[in-house]
Amino acid sequence: MTRRFFISWAMILISLQLFAQKAEVFSNAEGAIRGYDAVAYFTESKPVKGKTDFSYQWNNATWYFSSAENLNKFKATPEKYAPQFGGYCAYGLSEGHKSPTQPDAWTIVDNKLYLNYNVKVKEKWSENKEERIKKANENWVDLKDKE
């Protein structure tokens, strides 16, 4: 009886892992980019908190914007404005793992938004960002669907 019980529980746990959502976008209770406006990084060159009045569901996450204009820009071409690597830390991805990010630790390189774990990590990432981006792109293929 005990053996059957443990086998049953093991099968349930394996099933749950197989069907668990694999978050391609870093999002928390505040939304993608912790509720900050992805478009504002490009148009205002700074992080700007989004408003609940201007929200949009994309890629299994809620995105917030500071204006209707920014919302519409994102809706038209989300890939243009969404951060690379689903908003996970670009440095972390270059090291082979997913890490959360802070909205104030950001860089735009070749018209692409990259976020980092914090400002200190961003400084380290910036020392050789081209190589880090290359390595993160390679790692993202295997890591994007993993927790």
Side-chain angles (χ1 to χ4, degrees), residues 40-93:
Y41 288 98
F42 294 90
T43 60
E44 298 186 42
S45 298
K46 65 181 181 180
V48 175
K49 190 75 170 166
K51 300 176 184 174
T52 56
D53 292 346
F54 308 114
S55 66
Y56 182 61
Q57 285 291 322
W58 180 73
N59 217 6
N60 296 318
T62 303
W63 300 76
Y64 293 98
F65 304 91
S66 58
S67 68
E69 180 181 355
N70 284 5
L71 168 63
N72 290 331
K73 285 181 179 182
F74 188 86
K75 279 183 175 181
T77 54
E79 295 84 3
K80 177 178 178 178
Y81 297 106
Q84 300 302 293
F85 316 122
Y88 288 97
C89 178
Y91 181 88
L93 263 294

Side-chain angles (χ1 to χ4, degrees), residues 4 13 17 21-22 24 26-27 50 61 63 75 81 112 118 120 122 132 134 143 146-147:
R4 274 190 187 167
L13 291 174
Q17 285 187 333
Q21 179 182 354
K22 305 298 184 197
E24 188 175 332
F26 170 68
S27 182
W63 300 76
K75 279 183 175 181
Y81 297 106
K112 294 179 181 180
N118 60 29
K120 189 170 179 105
K122 177 195 167 203
R132 292 269 178 200
K134 180 181 176 189
L143 294 173
K146 295 181 180 172
E147 289 300 318

Side-chain angles (χ1 to χ4, degrees), residues 94-135:
S94 74
E95 292 288 310
H97 60 86
K98 285 181 173 178
S99 297
T101 52
Q102 294 296 320
D104 63 339
W106 64 282
T107 308
I108 294 177
V109 178
D110 296 328
N111 292 314
K112 294 179 181 180
L113 175 61
Y114 296 90
L115 297 172
N116 289 110
Y117 181 76
N118 60 29
V119 174
K120 189 170 179 105
V121 170
K122 177 195 167 203
E123 290 171 9
K124 186 170 175 116
W125 178 79
S126 294
E127 292 172 5
N128 58 346
K129 62 185 164 223
E130 289 78 15
E131 182 62 31
R132 292 269 178 200
I133 290 170
K134 180 181 176 189
K135 188 66 178 163

